[in-house]
Amino acid sequence: MSVLKTKPVEQCISDTEVEGHQLRRDLSALDLTVFGVGVTIGTGIFVLTGVAAATKAGPAIALSFVVAAVACALAGLCYAELASAVPVAGSAYTFSYATLGELIAWIIGWDLVLEFTLGGAAVAKGWSKYLVELLPFTLPASIAGDSPTVDVPAALVVAALTVVAILGVKFSARFNSLLVAVKVAVVLLFIAVGLTAVKASNWSPFIPPAAKAPKAVTAVETGTPVIQLLLGQEPLDYGLLGIGFGAAIVFFAFIGFDVIATTAEEVRRPQRDLPIGILGSLAICTVLYVIVSVVMTGLLRYTELNDAAPMAKALKANGLDLAASLVSLGALAGLTTVILVLMMGQARVLFAMSRDRLLPEGLAKVHPTFRTPWIISLLTGTVIAVITALVDLETLADLVNIGTLFAFVLVSIGVVVLRRTRPDLQRAFRTPAVPLIPALAVVACLFLMLNLGTHTWYRFLAWMVIGLVVYFFYGRRRSRLATGEKTVATGDGQAR
Ligand code: ALA
């Protein structure tokens, strides 16, 4: 059955040599770590921390970050092995094509499309909220603010970044480095200035007793967490369970370290650089997040943090207005890089899928001058701009989380499968304690998924059903693998 066929790893690599479909290979380990931190620190910490503390976990949101980080570290260890064994574009999609067969690869690819498209849209909404915070005048509530009808600034920033993405990776990476530096600087500024004004009384109770929380300012409706239904508990927030609900939301703050894997084809020494980039950026972000959330909930009582720009609000509430403005400015710069990198990750996954003909091949054309997959970038940018303009932040973030967690589950299983099916394959990085670590990764990711609401689950299942329909009616018959067509690179760089 073709759906179970896997694509030989060697073919994955040789497919990248097809003329007209090559990306430029010039990223280093440092570029990757910057890239990782660049995409990772974003709306998750700048917006969702406050909202999740106020509506799910209270000051214990710091523990939620630790829970989410553990799941990410476990999945990251699996990601790093697959990324170093199958160093080509397309991330988990490509890895699974070589390990779990075409159908699972399609499911993961489709899932990543969800992650990157909605992720970009969600972050653009965070960007828009900090812009409102910073502007000296007020924009009408219908076009900007906590819950606008059409989020105009969010759509505009996506349009501008689409142009940047089309102009090319190296340019984007440099642009990225500068903005990442600004972003890390403002996070450190928030911590340093904030620490001078925290009040220990705000941390008590650290784990608020279970109660009904107010609705998040950034959300319409995400439903009751599935785990609560399974346990037959009342639909209350906070309490011990609240730490899990919070973790399932702030998991969003970690998304991005996996995007590094999508650049494998553009990395100079993927075997060494990918694991460094993935695990290094994850470690840096975890430390920063835990400290930021402790400081934020120490500056202002958690019940007051239900705000679209909670960092600025927490500083202002303590008379630290200048720091609040600087943080907002830095957040704007920082969020810009996240949108950009998510859009680039998206382009690369779609690029790999269309090169394999699971999607129309014409999409994968590389621009002759910029060497970027420009058709895909244009398409992606347009879709993201429309979504960010119309959908609320938490609906987007939760959907991104469930999709990403599901991809992590499949990737973790993929590591174990590949160890069995291709023990000979060279792996610059080997996940320790296989199959224990992959098994724990699966459990941790499933746990976080269960902490998401019923509406999020329905939306996710609907997206997956659409994906399966597209696969069975389009990709299954047309893919290179199904048609038996190989793309063999010849010495002169021409495909045969
Ligand atoms: N991790 C990214 C953010 O928090 C997606 O914005």
Side-chain angles (χ1 to χ4, degrees):
M1 270 198 30
S2 72
V3 292
L4 295 178
K5 253 206 232 167
T6 58
K7 180 173 165 183
V9 174
E10 293 73 12
Q11 191 187 331
C12 289
I13 295 170
S14 80
D15 277 359
T16 67
E17 326 246 304
V18 180
E19 185 69 2
H21 294 261
Q22 279 160 287
L23 298 170
R24 206 160 35 176
R25 191 178 274 286
D26 60 0
L27 296 174
S28 68
L30 184 64
D31 283 334
L32 285 191
T33 310
V34 172
F35 199 60
V37 173
V39 74
T40 304
I41 300 182
T43 292
I45 191 73
F46 286 115
V47 180
L48 295 173
T49 316
V51 177
T55 63
K56 300 290 176 200
I61 194 69
L63 298 181
S64 302
F65 272 110
V66 176
V67 173
V70 169
C72 290
L74 291 167
L77 287 170
C78 300
Y79 239 96
E81 172 164 328
L82 285 196
S84 70
V86 192
V88 292
S91 173
Y93 158 73
T94 317
F95 315 151
S96 52
Y97 213 155
T99 55
L100 299 170
E102 187 172 272
L103 177 62
I104 301 285
W106 168 264
I107 292 176
I108 291 192
W110 191 247
D111 203 16
L112 291 176
V113 169
L114 180 79
E115 172 187 346
F116 296 143
T117 308
L118 300 192
V123 181
K125 292 201 88 80
W127 190 95
S128 163
K129 305 207 185 305
Y130 272 91
L131 180 75
V132 169
E133 185 62 33
L134 208 59
L135 285 179
F137 49 87
T138 322
L139 290 172
S142 58
I143 63 158
D146 282 347
S147 41
T149 322
V150 180
D151 200 327
V152 173
L156 289 180
V157 71
V158 170
L161 292 176
T162 303
V163 175
V164 172
I166 291 173
L167 290 183
V169 168
K170 197 57 201 176
F171 169 65
S172 308
R174 238 180 255 142
F175 176 67
N176 200 25
S177 314
L178 176 73
L179 297 184
V180 173
V182 173
K183 174 163 65 180
V184 174
V186 297
V187 169
L188 295 175
L189 175 82
F190 175 81
I191 293 173
V193 175
L195 271 178
T196 64
V198 290
K199 289 179 211 71
S201 58
N202 286 335
W203 289 315
S204 164
F206 190 71
I207 303 177
K212 193 84 199 129
K215 205 166 85 59
V217 282
T218 48
V220 173
E221 186 52 84
T222 49
T224 310
V226 171
I227 197 162
Q228 223 159 18
L229 296 180
L230 293 178
L231 295 174
Q233 299 233 337
E234 263 188 89
L236 296 176
D237 307 288
Y238 313 124
L240 264 186
L241 283 185
I243 297 175
F245 307 155
I249 295 178
V250 298
F251 171 78
F252 188 81
F254 290 102
I255 287 176
F257 74 91
D258 55 309
V259 177
I260 296 176
T262 65
T263 62
E265 241 176 76
E266 293 143 86
V267 179
R268 271 183 234 135
R269 285 172 300 176
Q271 267 74 1
R272 170 184 167 277
D273 297 347
L274 277 179
I276 297 182
I278 291 177
L279 297 175
S281 43
L282 186 58
I284 295 173
C285 293
T286 306
V287 172
L288 290 177
Y289 291 169
V290 171
I291 303 178
V292 164
S293 49
V294 169
V295 171
M296 195 190 284
T297 51
L299 280 173
L300 194 59
R301 201 148 184 79
Y302 67 90
T303 45
E304 305 291 313
L305 289 171
N306 193 4
D307 189 275
M311 273 198 188
K313 183 171 182 190
L315 289 171
K316 274 193 194 156
N318 288 277
L320 302 165
D321 287 17
L322 177 63
S325 299
L326 287 174
V327 165
S328 299
L329 196 63
L332 272 186
L335 293 171
T336 309
T337 66
V338 186
I339 306 168
L340 185 62
V341 184
L342 283 173
M343 284 171 55
M344 285 165 61
Q346 164 74 308
R348 273 143 193 77
V349 171
L350 284 176
F351 175 78
M353 292 171 86
S354 40
R355 190 170 54 194
D356 289 332
R357 300 223 189 111
L358 284 166
L359 288 170
E361 200 186 11
L363 291 178
K365 277 270 166 270
V366 171
H367 192 281
T369 314
F370 307 127
R371 304 294 298 272
T372 52
W374 69 280
I375 300 177
I376 288 174
S377 295
L378 193 62
L379 202 71
T380 307
T382 311
V383 173
I384 296 179
V386 172
I387 293 176
T388 194
L390 301 175
V391 187
D392 71 283
L393 174 61
E394 215 170 304
T395 297
L396 291 175
D398 284 6
L399 255 172
V400 172
N401 291 357
I402 198 167
T404 310
L405 286 162
F406 184 61
F408 282 2
V409 167
L410 297 182
V411 163
S412 305
I413 297 172
V415 166
V416 183
V417 174
L418 198 63
R419 286 272 182 108
R420 300 252 155 91
T421 54
R422 293 297 305 267
D424 58 302
L425 206 63
Q426 237 209 329
R427 294 160 169 85
F429 177 82
R430 295 177 75 87
T431 310
V434 171
L436 182 67
I437 296 280
L440 290 176
V442 170
V443 171
C445 292
L446 284 176
F447 170 74
L448 289 183
M449 286 172 81
L450 290 177
N451 276 282
L452 288 164
T454 43
H455 291 40
T456 303
W457 275 83
Y458 299 146
R459 291 175 187 131
F460 175 62
L461 292 176
W463 173 254
M464 283 322 209
V465 169
I466 296 172
L468 288 178
V469 171
V470 174
Y471 175 70
F472 282 105
F473 286 93
Y474 185 88
R476 191 164 97 104
R477 280 181 227 131
R478 283 170 221 241
S479 75
R480 270 188 209 286
L481 204 61
T483 54
E485 189 187 332
K486 286 211 170 63
T487 44
V488 182
T490 59
D492 58 6
Q494 298 296 313
R496 279 193 294 213

